[in-house]
């Protein structure tokens, strides 16, 4: 697959694309599964800065359900 030379868990090198993906900053981020251990991961992986931008304080305060719930993360606990 694109940027994943080895599985992050078992070092396997064979992957299958799953029928799920994200569109992030005009890029298609595919979900893939390792044929050896079954770990699913993103391909290409997001950078640490991109992950931080996805999970802002606002995400945990009001939008972690992507608009499917009126409650907050803290209220659900």
């Amino acid at each position: 697959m694109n940027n994943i030379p080895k599985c992050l868990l078992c070092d396997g090198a064979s992957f299958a694309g799953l029928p799920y993906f994200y569109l992030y900053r005009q890029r298609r981020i595919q979900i893939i599964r390792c044929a050896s251990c079954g770990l699913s991961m993103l391909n290409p992986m997001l950078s640490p800065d991109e992950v931080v931008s996805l999970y802002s304080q606002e995400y945990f305060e009001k939008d972690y359900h992507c608009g499917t719930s009126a409650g907050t993360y803290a209220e659900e606990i």
Side-chain angles (χ1 to χ4, degrees), residues 4-15 34-37 39 41:
I4 309 292
K6 291 186 177 181
C7 176
L8 301 172
L9 184 62
C10 75
D11 284 334
S14 180
F15 301 93
C34 175
S36 297
C37 72
L39 178 70
M41 63 190 96

Side-chain angles (χ1 to χ4, degrees), residues 26-48:
Q26 301 174 351
R27 290 185 301 164
R28 183 183 170 112
I29 310 295
Q30 184 72 40
I31 300 176
I32 59 173
R33 179 175 289 145
C34 175
S36 297
C37 72
L39 178 70
S40 294
M41 63 190 96
L42 300 177
N43 185 41
M45 296 293 282
L46 299 178
S47 72

Side-chain angles (χ1 to χ4, degrees), residues 22-74:
Y22 296 99
L23 294 177
Y24 177 72
R25 295 186 178 171
Q26 301 174 351
R27 290 185 301 164
R28 183 183 170 112
I29 310 295
Q30 184 72 40
I31 300 176
I32 59 173
R33 179 175 289 145
C34 175
S36 297
C37 72
L39 178 70
S40 294
M41 63 190 96
L42 300 177
N43 185 41
M45 296 293 282
L46 299 178
S47 72
D49 289 338
E50 290 172 320
V51 173
V52 168
S53 75
L54 284 173
Y55 298 106
S56 65
Q57 183 72 24
E58 182 178 334
Y59 173 88
F60 292 100
E61 290 176 350
K62 70 175 187 175
D63 195 34
Y64 84 106
H65 282 295
C66 298
T68 61
S69 173
T72 67
Y73 179 75

